[in-house]
Short mmCIF file of all heavy atoms in Angstrom, two decimals:
data_model
loop_
_atom_site.label_atom_id
_atom_site.label_comp_id
_atom_site.label_asym_id
_atom_site.label_seq_id
_atom_site.Cartn_x
_atom_site.Cartn_y
_atom_site.Cartn_z
N ASN A 121 196.78 93.35 118.58
CA ASN A 121 197.07 93.99 119.88
C ASN A 121 195.96 94.94 120.30
O ASN A 121 196.13 95.74 121.22
CB ASN A 121 198.41 94.72 119.82
CG ASN A 121 198.42 95.88 118.84
OD1 ASN A 121 197.38 96.29 118.33
ND2 ASN A 121 199.60 96.41 118.58
N GLY A 122 194.86 94.88 119.63
CA GLY A 122 193.74 95.75 119.94
C GLY A 122 193.55 96.85 118.91
O GLY A 122 192.48 97.41 118.78
N TRP A 123 194.62 97.17 118.19
CA TRP A 123 194.55 98.20 117.16
C TRP A 123 194.96 97.67 115.80
O TRP A 123 194.47 98.10 114.78
CB TRP A 123 195.48 99.39 117.51
CG TRP A 123 195.03 100.14 118.72
CD1 TRP A 123 194.08 101.11 118.77
CD2 TRP A 123 195.50 99.96 120.03
NE1 TRP A 123 193.92 101.55 120.06
CE2 TRP A 123 194.80 100.87 120.87
CE3 TRP A 123 196.45 99.13 120.63
CZ2 TRP A 123 195.02 100.96 122.24
CZ3 TRP A 123 196.67 99.24 121.99
CH2 TRP A 123 195.94 100.14 122.77
N GLU A 124 195.91 96.74 115.82
CA GLU A 124 196.45 96.25 114.55
C GLU A 124 197.11 94.89 114.76
O GLU A 124 197.33 94.46 115.88
CB GLU A 124 197.50 97.23 114.01
CG GLU A 124 198.71 97.34 114.92
CD GLU A 124 199.74 98.34 114.44
OE1 GLU A 124 199.64 98.78 113.28
OE2 GLU A 124 200.65 98.66 115.22
N ASN A 125 197.40 94.24 113.64
CA ASN A 125 198.20 93.02 113.69
C ASN A 125 199.66 93.45 113.71
O ASN A 125 200.20 93.89 112.71
CB ASN A 125 197.95 92.13 112.47
CG ASN A 125 196.71 91.29 112.63
OD1 ASN A 125 196.36 90.90 113.73
ND2 ASN A 125 196.04 91.00 111.54
N ALA A 126 200.28 93.31 114.86
CA ALA A 126 201.67 93.76 115.03
C ALA A 126 202.57 92.56 115.27
O ALA A 126 202.15 91.56 115.85
CB ALA A 126 201.76 94.72 116.21
N PRO A 127 203.83 92.65 114.83
CA PRO A 127 204.77 91.56 115.07
C PRO A 127 205.00 91.34 116.58
O PRO A 127 205.12 92.30 117.34
CB PRO A 127 206.06 92.02 114.40
CG PRO A 127 205.64 93.08 113.44
CD PRO A 127 204.43 93.71 114.03
N LYS A 128 205.01 90.09 116.96
CA LYS A 128 205.28 89.73 118.35
C LYS A 128 206.16 88.49 118.34
O LYS A 128 205.89 87.53 117.62
CB LYS A 128 203.98 89.44 119.09
CG LYS A 128 204.19 89.08 120.55
CD LYS A 128 202.87 88.87 121.27
CE LYS A 128 203.13 88.53 122.72
NZ LYS A 128 201.87 88.29 123.43
N THR A 129 207.23 88.54 119.12
CA THR A 129 208.14 87.40 119.21
C THR A 129 207.92 86.68 120.53
O THR A 129 207.91 87.29 121.59
CB THR A 129 209.60 87.85 119.09
OG1 THR A 129 209.77 88.50 117.82
CG2 THR A 129 210.56 86.66 119.17
N ILE A 130 207.76 85.38 120.43
CA ILE A 130 207.60 84.53 121.61
C ILE A 130 208.74 83.53 121.59
O ILE A 130 209.05 82.95 120.56
CB ILE A 130 206.24 83.80 121.60
CG1 ILE A 130 205.10 84.81 121.54
CG2 ILE A 130 206.10 82.89 122.81
CD1 ILE A 130 203.73 84.18 121.35
N VAL A 131 209.35 83.32 122.76
CA VAL A 131 210.47 82.39 122.87
C VAL A 131 209.97 81.12 123.56
O VAL A 131 209.38 81.19 124.65
CB VAL A 131 211.64 83.01 123.67
CG1 VAL A 131 212.77 82.01 123.80
CG2 VAL A 131 212.10 84.30 123.01
N PHE A 132 210.22 79.99 122.93
CA PHE A 132 209.86 78.70 123.50
C PHE A 132 211.14 78.00 123.92
O PHE A 132 212.13 78.00 123.20
CB PHE A 132 209.08 77.86 122.48
CG PHE A 132 207.77 78.48 122.10
CD1 PHE A 132 207.68 79.31 121.01
CD2 PHE A 132 206.64 78.25 122.87
CE1 PHE A 132 206.47 79.90 120.66
CE2 PHE A 132 205.43 78.84 122.53
CZ PHE A 132 205.35 79.67 121.42
N GLY A 133 211.12 77.39 125.10
CA GLY A 133 212.32 76.81 125.69
C GLY A 133 212.70 75.43 125.18
O GLY A 133 213.74 74.90 125.55
N SER A 134 211.88 74.85 124.32
CA SER A 134 212.22 73.53 123.77
C SER A 134 211.29 73.24 122.60
O SER A 134 210.27 73.90 122.41
CB SER A 134 212.04 72.44 124.84
OG SER A 134 210.67 72.27 125.14
N PHE A 135 211.65 72.22 121.86
CA PHE A 135 210.78 71.83 120.74
C PHE A 135 209.48 71.21 121.26
O PHE A 135 208.45 71.30 120.60
CB PHE A 135 211.51 70.86 119.81
CG PHE A 135 212.54 71.53 118.97
CD1 PHE A 135 213.89 71.35 119.22
CD2 PHE A 135 212.17 72.37 117.92
CE1 PHE A 135 214.84 71.98 118.45
CE2 PHE A 135 213.11 73.00 117.14
CZ PHE A 135 214.46 72.81 117.41
N THR A 136 209.53 70.61 122.44
CA THR A 136 208.30 70.02 122.99
C THR A 136 207.31 71.09 123.42
O THR A 136 206.12 70.83 123.48
CB THR A 136 208.62 69.08 124.17
OG1 THR A 136 209.35 69.80 125.16
CG2 THR A 136 209.42 67.87 123.72
N ALA A 137 207.79 72.30 123.73
CA ALA A 137 206.91 73.40 124.12
C ALA A 137 206.37 74.16 122.92
O ALA A 137 205.43 74.95 123.04
CB ALA A 137 207.66 74.36 125.05
N LEU A 138 206.94 73.92 121.77
CA LEU A 138 206.57 74.65 120.55
C LEU A 138 205.17 74.21 120.08
O LEU A 138 204.91 73.02 119.93
CB LEU A 138 207.61 74.36 119.46
CG LEU A 138 207.62 75.21 118.22
CD1 LEU A 138 207.90 76.68 118.56
CD2 LEU A 138 208.67 74.70 117.24
N PRO A 139 204.26 75.17 119.86
CA PRO A 139 202.93 74.79 119.35
C PRO A 139 203.05 74.09 117.99
O PRO A 139 203.95 74.38 117.21
CB PRO A 139 202.20 76.13 119.20
CG PRO A 139 202.97 77.10 120.02
CD PRO A 139 204.38 76.61 120.06
N GLY A 140 202.13 73.20 117.72
CA GLY A 140 202.16 72.41 116.49
C GLY A 140 202.23 73.26 115.23
O GLY A 140 202.95 72.93 114.29
N GLU A 141 201.48 74.36 115.20
CA GLU A 141 201.46 75.23 114.02
C GLU A 141 202.85 75.82 113.77
O GLU A 141 203.32 75.88 112.63
CB GLU A 141 200.44 76.34 114.26
CG GLU A 141 199.97 77.04 113.04
CD GLU A 141 198.85 78.01 113.38
OE1 GLU A 141 199.14 79.11 113.89
OE2 GLU A 141 197.68 77.67 113.10
N ALA A 142 203.53 76.24 114.84
CA ALA A 142 204.88 76.81 114.70
C ALA A 142 205.88 75.71 114.33
O ALA A 142 206.80 75.94 113.53
CB ALA A 142 205.29 77.50 116.00
N PHE A 143 205.72 74.53 114.90
CA PHE A 143 206.59 73.40 114.57
C PHE A 143 206.47 73.07 113.08
O PHE A 143 207.48 72.90 112.38
CB PHE A 143 206.22 72.19 115.44
CG PHE A 143 207.09 71.00 115.22
CD1 PHE A 143 208.37 70.94 115.74
CD2 PHE A 143 206.62 69.92 114.48
CE1 PHE A 143 209.17 69.82 115.52
CE2 PHE A 143 207.42 68.81 114.26
CZ PHE A 143 208.70 68.76 114.79
N ASN A 144 205.24 72.99 112.60
CA ASN A 144 205.01 72.71 111.18
C ASN A 144 205.59 73.81 110.30
O ASN A 144 206.15 73.54 109.24
CB ASN A 144 203.52 72.54 110.89
CG ASN A 144 202.95 71.30 111.52
OD1 ASN A 144 203.66 70.38 111.90
ND2 ASN A 144 201.64 71.27 111.66
N TYR A 145 205.47 75.06 110.74
CA TYR A 145 206.03 76.19 110.00
C TYR A 145 207.55 76.04 109.87
O TYR A 145 208.11 76.24 108.80
CB TYR A 145 205.67 77.50 110.71
CG TYR A 145 206.25 78.74 110.08
CD1 TYR A 145 205.78 79.22 108.86
CD2 TYR A 145 207.27 79.44 110.70
CE1 TYR A 145 206.30 80.36 108.28
CE2 TYR A 145 207.80 80.60 110.14
CZ TYR A 145 207.31 81.06 108.93
OH TYR A 145 207.84 82.19 108.37
N LEU A 146 208.20 75.65 110.95
CA LEU A 146 209.66 75.44 110.92
C LEU A 146 210.01 74.35 109.90
O LEU A 146 210.87 74.56 109.05
CB LEU A 146 210.18 75.05 112.31
CG LEU A 146 211.65 74.62 112.39
CD1 LEU A 146 212.57 75.80 112.08
CD2 LEU A 146 211.95 74.04 113.76
N LEU A 147 209.35 73.22 109.98
CA LEU A 147 209.70 72.10 109.11
C LEU A 147 209.30 72.34 107.66
O LEU A 147 210.04 71.95 106.75
CB LEU A 147 209.08 70.80 109.62
CG LEU A 147 209.96 70.04 110.62
CD1 LEU A 147 210.15 70.78 111.91
CD2 LEU A 147 209.43 68.66 110.86
N ASP A 148 208.17 73.00 107.43
CA ASP A 148 207.70 73.23 106.06
C ASP A 148 208.40 74.40 105.38
O ASP A 148 208.74 74.33 104.20
CB ASP A 148 206.20 73.49 106.03
CG ASP A 148 205.38 72.24 106.24
OD1 ASP A 148 205.93 71.13 106.09
OD2 ASP A 148 204.18 72.36 106.55
N LYS A 149 208.57 75.49 106.12
CA LYS A 149 209.05 76.73 105.50
C LYS A 149 210.53 77.02 105.74
O LYS A 149 211.15 77.71 104.94
CB LYS A 149 208.22 77.93 106.00
CG LYS A 149 206.76 77.85 105.62
CD LYS A 149 206.58 77.95 104.12
CE LYS A 149 205.10 78.00 103.74
NZ LYS A 149 204.91 78.19 102.33
N HIS A 150 211.09 76.53 106.85
CA HIS A 150 212.48 76.84 107.18
C HIS A 150 213.24 75.61 107.68
O HIS A 150 213.85 75.64 108.76
CB HIS A 150 212.54 77.96 108.24
CG HIS A 150 211.92 79.23 107.79
ND1 HIS A 150 212.49 80.04 106.84
CD2 HIS A 150 210.73 79.82 108.13
CE1 HIS A 150 211.72 81.09 106.63
NE2 HIS A 150 210.64 80.97 107.39
N PRO A 151 213.24 74.54 106.92
CA PRO A 151 213.94 73.33 107.39
C PRO A 151 215.45 73.54 107.55
O PRO A 151 216.09 72.82 108.32
CB PRO A 151 213.63 72.29 106.31
CG PRO A 151 213.26 73.09 105.10
CD PRO A 151 212.64 74.35 105.61
N SER A 152 216.01 74.53 106.88
CA SER A 152 217.45 74.79 107.01
C SER A 152 217.81 75.32 108.40
O SER A 152 218.98 75.33 108.78
CB SER A 152 217.91 75.78 105.95
OG SER A 152 217.26 77.03 106.14
N ARG A 153 216.82 75.73 109.16
CA ARG A 153 217.06 76.27 110.50
C ARG A 153 216.97 75.20 111.59
O ARG A 153 217.11 75.51 112.77
CB ARG A 153 216.09 77.40 110.78
CG ARG A 153 216.29 78.56 109.82
CD ARG A 153 215.35 79.68 110.07
NE ARG A 153 215.52 80.71 109.05
CZ ARG A 153 214.77 81.78 108.96
NH1 ARG A 153 213.80 81.99 109.83
NH2 ARG A 153 214.97 82.65 107.99
N ILE A 154 216.73 73.99 111.20
CA ILE A 154 216.70 72.89 112.16
C ILE A 154 218.14 72.60 112.58
O ILE A 154 219.03 72.52 111.72
CB ILE A 154 216.06 71.63 111.53
CG1 ILE A 154 214.60 71.94 111.16
CG2 ILE A 154 216.14 70.44 112.48
CD1 ILE A 154 213.94 70.88 110.31
N PRO A 155 218.40 72.44 113.88
CA PRO A 155 219.78 72.18 114.33
C PRO A 155 220.38 70.96 113.63
O PRO A 155 219.72 69.94 113.43
CB PRO A 155 219.61 71.94 115.83
CG PRO A 155 218.36 72.69 116.19
CD PRO A 155 217.47 72.56 115.00
N ALA A 156 221.66 71.07 113.31
CA ALA A 156 222.37 70.02 112.58
C ALA A 156 222.37 68.70 113.34
O ALA A 156 222.27 67.63 112.72
CB ALA A 156 223.80 70.46 112.28
N LYS A 157 222.47 68.76 114.65
CA LYS A 157 222.49 67.52 115.44
C LYS A 157 221.16 66.77 115.32
O LYS A 157 221.15 65.54 115.30
CB LYS A 157 222.77 67.85 116.91
CG LYS A 157 224.21 68.17 117.17
CD LYS A 157 224.41 68.36 118.66
CE LYS A 157 225.84 68.61 119.02
NZ LYS A 157 226.52 69.63 118.27
N ILE A 158 220.07 67.48 115.22
CA ILE A 158 218.78 66.82 115.06
C ILE A 158 218.66 66.29 113.63
O ILE A 158 218.25 65.15 113.43
CB ILE A 158 217.62 67.78 115.41
CG1 ILE A 158 217.66 68.09 116.91
CG2 ILE A 158 216.27 67.17 115.01
CD1 ILE A 158 216.64 69.11 117.37
N MET A 159 219.05 67.09 112.65
CA MET A 159 218.98 66.63 111.26
C MET A 159 219.88 65.43 111.01
O MET A 159 219.59 64.60 110.16
CB MET A 159 219.32 67.76 110.29
CG MET A 159 218.18 68.72 110.03
SD MET A 159 216.64 67.93 109.49
CE MET A 159 217.12 67.14 107.97
N ALA A 160 220.95 65.31 111.79
CA ALA A 160 221.86 64.18 111.62
C ALA A 160 221.17 62.85 111.94
O ALA A 160 221.62 61.79 111.50
CB ALA A 160 223.09 64.36 112.50
N LEU A 161 220.08 62.90 112.69
CA LEU A 161 219.34 61.68 113.02
C LEU A 161 218.71 61.05 111.78
O LEU A 161 218.54 59.84 111.70
CB LEU A 161 218.28 61.96 114.08
CG LEU A 161 218.82 62.44 115.42
CD1 LEU A 161 217.68 62.92 116.32
CD2 LEU A 161 219.63 61.35 116.10
N ASN A 162 218.36 61.88 110.81
CA ASN A 162 217.91 61.42 109.49
C ASN A 162 218.05 62.59 108.52
O ASN A 162 217.12 63.37 108.34
CB ASN A 162 216.47 60.91 109.50
CG ASN A 162 216.07 60.31 108.17
OD1 ASN A 162 216.75 60.50 107.16
ND2 ASN A 162 214.97 59.58 108.15
N PRO A 163 219.20 62.71 107.91
CA PRO A 163 219.49 63.88 107.06
C PRO A 163 218.53 64.07 105.88
O PRO A 163 218.36 65.17 105.40
CB PRO A 163 220.91 63.61 106.55
CG PRO A 163 221.49 62.64 107.52
CD PRO A 163 220.35 61.82 108.03
N SER A 164 217.87 63.03 105.45
CA SER A 164 217.01 63.15 104.27
C SER A 164 215.55 63.45 104.61
O SER A 164 214.75 63.73 103.72
CB SER A 164 217.07 61.86 103.45
OG SER A 164 216.60 60.78 104.21
N ASP A 165 215.20 63.42 105.90
CA ASP A 165 213.80 63.61 106.27
C ASP A 165 213.69 64.29 107.63
O ASP A 165 213.87 63.66 108.67
CB ASP A 165 213.09 62.25 106.30
CG ASP A 165 211.59 62.34 106.54
OD1 ASP A 165 211.09 63.41 106.92
OD2 ASP A 165 210.91 61.31 106.33
N ALA A 166 213.37 65.59 107.60
CA ALA A 166 213.30 66.37 108.84
C ALA A 166 212.20 65.85 109.77
O ALA A 166 212.38 65.82 110.99
CB ALA A 166 213.05 67.84 108.53
N TRP A 167 211.08 65.43 109.21
CA TRP A 167 209.99 64.92 110.04
C TRP A 167 210.44 63.67 110.79
O TRP A 167 210.18 63.53 111.99
CB TRP A 167 208.76 64.63 109.19
CG TRP A 167 208.13 65.86 108.63
CD1 TRP A 167 208.37 66.42 107.40
CD2 TRP A 167 207.20 66.72 109.28
NE1 TRP A 167 207.62 67.57 107.25
CE2 TRP A 167 206.89 67.78 108.38
CE3 TRP A 167 206.59 66.71 110.52
CZ2 TRP A 167 206.00 68.79 108.70
CZ3 TRP A 167 205.70 67.73 110.83
CH2 TRP A 167 205.42 68.75 109.93
N ASP A 168 211.12 62.78 110.10
CA ASP A 168 211.60 61.56 110.74
C ASP A 168 212.71 61.86 111.73
O ASP A 168 212.78 61.24 112.79
CB ASP A 168 212.08 60.55 109.68
CG ASP A 168 212.40 59.20 110.30
OD1 ASP A 168 211.51 58.65 111.00
OD2 ASP A 168 213.52 58.71 110.10
N ALA A 169 213.56 62.82 111.41
CA ALA A 169 214.63 63.22 112.33
C ALA A 169 214.02 63.67 113.66
O ALA A 169 214.50 63.28 114.73
CB ALA A 169 215.49 64.33 111.72
N PHE A 170 212.98 64.46 113.60
CA PHE A 170 212.33 64.90 114.84
C PHE A 170 211.61 63.76 115.54
O PHE A 170 211.56 63.71 116.76
CB PHE A 170 211.37 66.07 114.58
CG PHE A 170 212.02 67.40 114.76
CD1 PHE A 170 212.38 68.16 113.66
CD2 PHE A 170 212.30 67.90 116.03
CE1 PHE A 170 212.99 69.39 113.82
CE2 PHE A 170 212.91 69.13 116.20
CZ PHE A 170 213.26 69.88 115.09
N SER A 171 211.07 62.85 114.78
CA SER A 171 210.44 61.68 115.39
C SER A 171 211.46 60.89 116.20
O SER A 171 211.20 60.49 117.34
CB SER A 171 209.82 60.80 114.30
OG SER A 171 209.23 59.66 114.83
N ILE A 172 212.64 60.71 115.63
CA ILE A 172 213.73 60.01 116.34
C ILE A 172 214.17 60.83 117.54
O ILE A 172 214.40 60.29 118.63
CB ILE A 172 214.90 59.75 115.37
CG1 ILE A 172 214.48 58.78 114.27
CG2 ILE A 172 216.12 59.23 116.13
CD1 ILE A 172 215.45 58.70 113.10
N TYR A 173 214.27 62.14 117.37
CA TYR A 173 214.70 63.04 118.45
C TYR A 173 213.73 62.96 119.63
O TYR A 173 214.14 62.77 120.78
CB TYR A 173 214.79 64.48 117.92
CG TYR A 173 215.05 65.52 118.98
CD1 TYR A 173 216.30 65.63 119.59
CD2 TYR A 173 214.06 66.40 119.37
CE1 TYR A 173 216.54 66.59 120.56
CE2 TYR A 173 214.29 67.37 120.33
CZ TYR A 173 215.53 67.46 120.93
OH TYR A 173 215.77 68.42 121.89
#
Side-chain angles (χ1 to χ4, degrees):
N121 64 11
W123 294 277
E124 64 182 347
N125 278 329
K128 181 177 180 181
T129 300
I130 302 173
V131 179
F132 296 93
S134 69
F135 286 107
T136 56
L138 193 62
E141 199 174 78
F143 182 76
N144 291 343
Y145 177 72
L146 172 67
L147 272 66
D148 285 343
K149 297 294 185 176
H150 299 288
S152 63
R153 297 180 185 175
I154 298 170
K157 284 185 177 50
I158 293 175
M159 279 307 299
L161 297 170
N162 186 345
S164 62
D165 186 347
W167 292 94
D168 188 53
F170 268 104
S171 179
I172 295 167
Y173 173 72

